[in-house]
Amino acid sequence: MIAHILKSRETILLAAILALLAIIAARFPAFVAPSNLINVFNDTSTLILLALGQMVVILTRCIDLSVAANLALTGMVVAMLNTVAPGVPIVAILGLAVALGTLMGAVNGLLVWKLEIPPIVVTLGTMTIYRGIIFLISDGKWINAHEMSAGFKDFPRAVVLGLPVLSWIAIAAVLAFVVLLGRTPPGRAFYAVGGNPRAAVYTGIDVGRTQFLAFVLSGALAGLTGYLWVSRFAVAYVDIAGGFELQVVAACVIGGVSIAGGIGSVGGALLGALFLGVINNALPVVNISPFWQLAISGSAIIVAVAFNARASRSKGRVILKSAEHTA
């Protein structure tokens, strides 16, 4: 039992994060101060939210490359609404953001489910469409801090029990997904569809409907993150979160979520996001250009996929050897 825990992806990743923090602290002790670690977690909260949604999609053997565009479009819509109607309650804005994100996720899911278009093609297409819609509705203009109401900007920054609201939302989402994937029929269906779609059909699971639900969840979280992102940074524009979908996929893959589907955990996705969050926050501290973030994320994806593939091959050999002995 203890040996299994020590060899698990989550334990290895946690050890890597602690080792990384130790290396950084050796030269910059202030980086591991509690106040700064809280800031690092808060900065990573948006990545955590998107990684949770992406994880569910990947579990079903799909991928959602439109999450960052979904975030950007939702953020622009709620920012524009705030400029013309600053009195709209935050609860209503949150509801609109989630609803709009859910709608965009449902579009992806329906195209994959009903038209059987490959998910990567669907989400590449909708990613471009959503970015284009942002330009059309905003005329390419920015919405800046002075155009947003104080309540709109202050909500994710408000501190409750020592943590910003944004961090509490990420924590709540993690707990909700632990329950969803571990205690509910839809959660078990995500794993079943990704693990063996044909067997899932024989057990009465609708593969297309399950994949549709995964895209809906991913879209809802992307919509929520759209408001949180725009309000926290107090700016909305066409290219907001450009390329962020790569970091979202990287967080999942680094956390042990298999691109082949059916394998992954909430803890792994969380640690994968935190690993990237620590790296991204540490780069400026050690005087490395932030433009290296994308290169690091891409490299991490390749290494993690190779690691997963090697682990899968090893398991396959063990099964074959067992069969030979029994024969």
Side-chain angles (χ1 to χ4, degrees):
M1 179 68 179
I2 296 176
H4 176 72
I5 293 174
L6 292 176
K7 291 181 180 179
S8 71
R9 173 65 70 89
E10 290 82 358
T11 304
I12 295 171
L13 194 49
L14 179 59
I17 293 172
L18 294 176
L20 183 59
L21 289 174
I23 293 171
I24 299 170
R27 290 192 60 187
F28 305 96
F31 188 84
V32 295
S35 58
N36 188 65
L37 291 179
I38 289 175
N39 290 333
V40 170
F41 182 83
N42 195 52
D43 289 342
T44 313
S45 293
T46 50
L47 179 57
I48 292 171
L49 289 170
L50 294 179
L52 290 173
Q54 187 73 255
M55 176 193 67
V56 174
V57 173
I58 294 176
L59 282 177
T60 64
R61 296 193 176 189
C62 296
I63 193 167
D64 187 356
L65 298 179
S66 69
V67 287
N70 183 328
L71 177 162
L73 177 53
T74 303
M76 177 60 77
V77 169
V78 295
M80 293 177 68
L81 173 64
N82 181 248
T83 59
V84 297
V88 175
I90 296 301
V91 173
I93 291 176
L94 285 169
L96 174 62
V98 172
L100 185 56
T102 300
L103 176 62
M104 285 186 275
V107 170
N108 289 334
L110 284 172
L111 291 173
V112 171
W113 178 19
K114 296 299 184 181
L115 299 184
E116 298 183 354
I117 305 174
I120 192 170
V121 175
V122 168
T123 54
L124 275 173
T126 54
M127 174 181 71
T128 306
I129 292 170
Y130 297 157
R131 291 284 181 188
I133 293 174
I134 300 171
F135 184 85
L136 290 175
I137 64 176
S138 67
D139 199 26
K141 297 177 181 178
W142 290 38
I143 297 178
N144 296 304
H146 68 276
E147 301 174 82
M148 300 177 184
S149 68
F152 182 88
K153 294 181 292 185
D154 292 345
F155 176 74
R157 308 176 190 180
V159 177
V160 178
L161 300 177
L163 286 177
V165 169
L166 175 58
S167 295
W168 283 117
I169 291 175
I171 292 171
V174 168
L175 296 176
F177 270 71
V178 168
V179 175
L180 171 67
L181 294 180
R183 303 281 183 176
T184 67
R188 291 188 286 272
F190 293 139
Y191 283 103
V193 167
N196 192 327
R198 291 184 179 179
V201 171
Y202 288 125
T203 60
I205 296 174
D206 188 322
V207 173
R209 189 185 298 275
T210 302
Q211 291 174 334
F212 169 78
L213 178 58
F215 277 108
V216 167
L217 285 173
S218 178
L221 283 174
L224 172 62
T225 307
Y227 161 67
L228 296 172
W229 184 300
V230 167
S231 59
R232 179 171 182 249
F233 294 108
V235 65
Y237 55 95
V238 173
D239 292 326
I240 195 169
F244 199 63
E245 59 276 344
L246 176 62
Q247 293 224 19
V248 175
V249 174
C252 292
V253 175
I254 291 171
V257 182
S258 174
I259 292 294
I263 299 174
S265 69
V266 174
L270 171 62
L271 289 172
L274 289 175
F275 180 79
L276 290 178
V278 170
I279 289 177
N280 293 341
N281 279 272
L283 289 180
V285 174
V286 296
N287 294 321
I288 298 177
S289 171
F291 291 105
W292 279 98
Q293 291 180 13
L294 289 177
I296 292 172
S297 298
S299 301
I301 289 176
I302 294 173
V303 171
V305 169
F307 183 88
N308 289 343
R310 185 180 180 85
S312 298
R313 285 197 299 269
S314 298
K315 290 180 181 178
R317 285 194 294 269
V318 170
I319 292 171
L320 288 173
K321 287 179 181 178
S322 299
E324 289 171 2
H325 287 309
T326 54

